[in-house]
Amino acid sequence: MAETELWARVQDGDGEAFALLYRRHSARVLRLCRGLIVTDGRHDDVAGRSEDLASGAFLHAWRRRGDIVVESSILPWLLATAAHLHANDRRARIRAHRLLRRVAALRETLGGAQHEVEAAAQSSVFVERVRAAVRTLAPPYRSVADLCILGDLSVRDAATRLGVPEGTVKSRLHHARGRLRSALG
């Protein structure tokens, strides 16, 4: 069956058609994911991380199936999405590494574990307050806040991920920040 026909069935919610597309393309998407992870120089649990990344691309396709236009094959979209997910994961790891360096520097500056624990506790309480406040936002603002504020994505990346113009993301982000400022004091 042609992929455009399969995709039309998927857009109607046909799980079997999606399973067929998964079987058709999962090996190729998984190969790309393995290559991306190995290229990063990370060789710990390549198989597991690759499977998680590939699964994320397919999950994203299923969730966005109503928005995706397939001209001849869903494969290019899946590969691009896997690459974007990998880039997001890589940025998150870089941010985590930077945070660990800051905590180490804080430890040296303060010279005691008590100060570090207090700072980390205050930080985690504040982050949880922000997350709780984000959950109260209306869906369009919540999705932008999740990506740009909590996920630290750029406006451009968030617009691509959401499938909306950058200006829309900027506007929603502006409103979300205002509502969060009010909610957090």
Side-chain angles (χ1 to χ4, degrees):
M1 179 180 294
E3 221 162 287
T4 52
E5 294 174 41
L6 272 175
W7 190 249
R9 288 177 48 198
V10 168
Q11 287 182 310
D12 290 335
D14 186 339
E16 289 179 28
F18 189 75
L20 182 58
L21 285 173
Y22 177 84
R23 286 190 299 274
R24 195 177 277 184
H25 297 302
S26 61
R28 178 66 181 95
V29 174
L30 191 58
R31 265 193 316 274
L32 172 75
C33 294
R34 281 187 185 130
L36 290 170
I37 290 167
V38 169
T39 301
D40 268 356
R42 301 224 23 205
H43 299 286
D44 57 312
D45 191 26
V46 171
R49 292 179 60 233
S50 300
E51 288 173 10
D52 290 345
L53 194 56
S55 296
F58 280 97
L59 178 62
H60 200 62
W62 177 256
R63 287 181 177 162
R64 301 252 344 255
R65 66 187 179 273
D67 302 328
I68 302 169
V69 176
V70 173
E71 293 181 15
S72 61
S73 175
I74 187 70
L75 182 61
W77 189 93
L78 289 167
L79 296 174
T81 300
H84 285 292
L85 292 173
H86 173 261
N88 292 344
D89 178 61
R90 186 169 184 265
R91 281 191 295 273
R93 282 187 281 110
I94 290 169
R95 284 191 307 272
H97 181 69
R98 286 180 186 152
L99 177 62
L100 290 174
R101 284 197 330 242
R102 285 194 303 253
V103 167
L106 178 66
R107 181 182 298 148
E108 287 179 24
T109 302
L110 297 176
Q114 178 183 359
H115 296 291
E116 179 185 330
V117 170
E118 289 172 4
Q122 289 174 353
S123 176
S124 67
V125 167
F126 181 72
V127 168
E128 189 48 47
R129 283 184 58 215
V130 170
R131 285 188 175 133
V134 166
R135 286 192 295 266
T136 67
L137 297 173
Y141 304 110
R142 183 174 53 237
S143 61
V144 168
D146 280 336
L147 294 172
C148 295
I149 297 171
L150 298 176
D152 202 26
L153 283 182
S154 69
V155 169
R156 173 177 281 160
D157 289 341
T160 301
R161 169 82 62 87
L162 296 171
V164 298
E166 287 182 42
T168 301
V169 172
K170 287 178 184 177
S171 173
R172 290 177 184 173
L173 185 58
H174 174 76
H175 290 290
R177 284 181 176 148
R179 288 184 175 119
L180 290 173
R181 271 190 223 101
S182 297
L184 296 170

